[in-house]
Amino acid sequence: MFAKSVARRALQLQPTLLAKRTKVSLPELDWDFGALEPHISGQINELHYTKHHQTYVNGFNAAVEQFDELKSKLDNDPAVAKQIVAVQQNLKFHGGGYVNHCLFWKNLAPTSQGGGEAPTGALAKQIETQFGSLDNLISLTNAKLAGVQGSGWAFIVKNVENGNQLEVVQTYNQDTVTGPLKPLVAIDSWEHAYYLQYQNQKANYFKAIWNVINWKEAAKRFEAAA
């Protein structure tokens, strides 16, 4: 009887446990906060990760719950549609913030773990073919970053609907890249990513970050994207 009771209790808990598993959470970092110094300070990384990225995690999870709750009411109350549209804006913003930062952390690495080392293999050949050199691609990306008015991102992407060409894409706020644009490198241009260290000299941050870009990760994404 006791075993059956435990089994029934476990089944009753499964939906709750599943709901907890499906919520997004902060990704595990492959390095300590201070590991990217002197290029990005440990204080910036700690605040960026534990405060800013956590805010997008919390906001996205809350928006998903609100969306599900409102969707269940839609059949009986068409006026709920207006609220759903508002929640969708939160889904886009916080969801983009969550996804973009997950990409961002993964494409950074301390110099002791290969950060800043030039890419090899298929990605290196594609860069050489399209841009002539890695430095030229970096210069183009920095120009895109400098062109962000306010807050946003620059992505180096593989366009799988355009002959697998590399492109540098600029987005605003927490907009992300989707569809045929497969992100290889994501660079955060929001002030929270650099201001404590570089203050109003954001161009110096854009130059410095290439010393800790994880091109090995970018090469893996390039070869996996289809």
Side-chain angles (χ1 to χ4, degrees), residues 16-81:
T16 302
L17 294 174
L18 180 60
K20 289 181 179 178
R21 288 194 198 101
T22 56
K23 288 187 176 182
V24 302
S25 59
L26 287 175
E28 291 187 15
L29 299 183
D30 298 323
W31 31 265
D32 295 330
F33 291 134
L36 304 184
E37 293 184 347
H39 311 294
I40 303 177
S41 75
Q43 184 184 21
I44 285 177
N45 285 327
E46 184 174 5
L47 288 171
H48 199 167
Y49 178 82
T50 63
K51 302 299 183 182
H52 295 283
H53 197 178
Q54 184 66 62
T55 295
Y56 298 121
V57 167
N58 296 344
F60 181 69
N61 286 331
V64 169
E65 289 183 0
Q66 291 170 0
F67 181 79
D68 288 342
E69 181 180 347
L70 290 169
K71 189 172 64 172
S72 67
K73 298 177 181 178
L74 186 59
D75 288 341
N76 298 322
D77 184 5
V80 168

Side-chain angles (χ1 to χ4, degrees), residues 34 122 128 138 143 150 161 204 215:
E128 183 72 23
I138 289 173
E161 289 186 356
N204 290 336
W215 286 107

Side-chain angles (χ1 to χ4, degrees), residues 1-224:
M1 290 293 292
F2 177 77
K4 289 182 179 179
S5 176
V6 169
R8 283 196 298 270
R9 180 60 177 160
L11 287 171
Q12 292 170 355
L13 287 173
Q14 279 182 352
T16 302
L17 294 174
L18 180 60
K20 289 181 179 178
R21 288 194 198 101
T22 56
K23 288 187 176 182
V24 302
S25 59
L26 287 175
E28 291 187 15
L29 299 183
D30 298 323
W31 31 265
D32 295 330
F33 291 134
L36 304 184
E37 293 184 347
H39 311 294
I40 303 177
S41 75
Q43 184 184 21
I44 285 177
N45 285 327
E46 184 174 5
L47 288 171
H48 199 167
Y49 178 82
T50 63
K51 302 299 183 182
H52 295 283
H53 197 178
Q54 184 66 62
T55 295
Y56 298 121
V57 167
N58 296 344
F60 181 69
N61 286 331
V64 169
E65 289 183 0
Q66 291 170 0
F67 181 79
D68 288 342
E69 181 180 347
L70 290 169
K71 189 172 64 172
S72 67
K73 298 177 181 178
L74 186 59
D75 288 341
N76 298 322
D77 184 5
V80 168
K82 185 176 180 180
Q83 294 174 264
I84 289 178
V85 170
V87 170
Q88 285 177 322
Q89 299 304 310
N90 284 333
L91 283 171
K92 178 185 177 183
F93 179 75
H94 290 288
Y98 168 71
V99 170
N100 289 346
H101 282 88
C102 287
L103 291 167
F104 178 71
W105 300 123
K106 197 66 178 178
N107 66 216
L108 297 176
T111 54
S112 61
Q113 295 178 22
E117 292 180 5
T120 58
L123 176 58
K125 292 179 182 177
Q126 190 67 31
I127 292 172
E128 183 72 23
T129 298
Q130 285 190 239
F131 303 98
S133 70
L134 179 60
D135 285 342
N136 288 341
L137 174 58
I138 289 173
S139 295
L140 174 60
T141 307
N142 283 350
K144 290 282 189 178
L145 285 163
V148 174
Q149 304 267 334
S151 303
W153 293 76
F155 297 87
I156 299 173
V157 303
K158 175 181 178 180
N159 189 335
V160 297
E161 289 186 356
N162 187 26
N164 294 325
Q165 294 283 296
L166 297 177
E167 298 176 10
V168 181
V169 178
Q170 178 192 76
T171 69
Y172 289 95
N173 298 316
Q174 290 300 347
D175 289 357
T176 191
V177 290
T178 58
L181 302 181
K182 307 301 181 180
L184 309 181
V185 174
I187 298 181
D188 193 344
S189 182
W190 282 63
E191 281 192 347
H192 63 237
Y194 64 83
Y195 199 84
L196 281 175
Q197 183 174 1
Y198 293 95
Q199 297 184 13
N200 65 327
Q201 303 297 316
K202 66 178 181 179
N204 290 336
Y205 158 69
F206 299 150
K207 293 176 183 177
I209 198 171
W210 298 102
N211 292 292
V212 288
I213 288 295
N214 186 352
W215 286 107
K216 292 180 181 177
E217 175 66 21
K220 289 179 184 177
R221 294 178 185 175
F222 179 80
E223 294 179 13

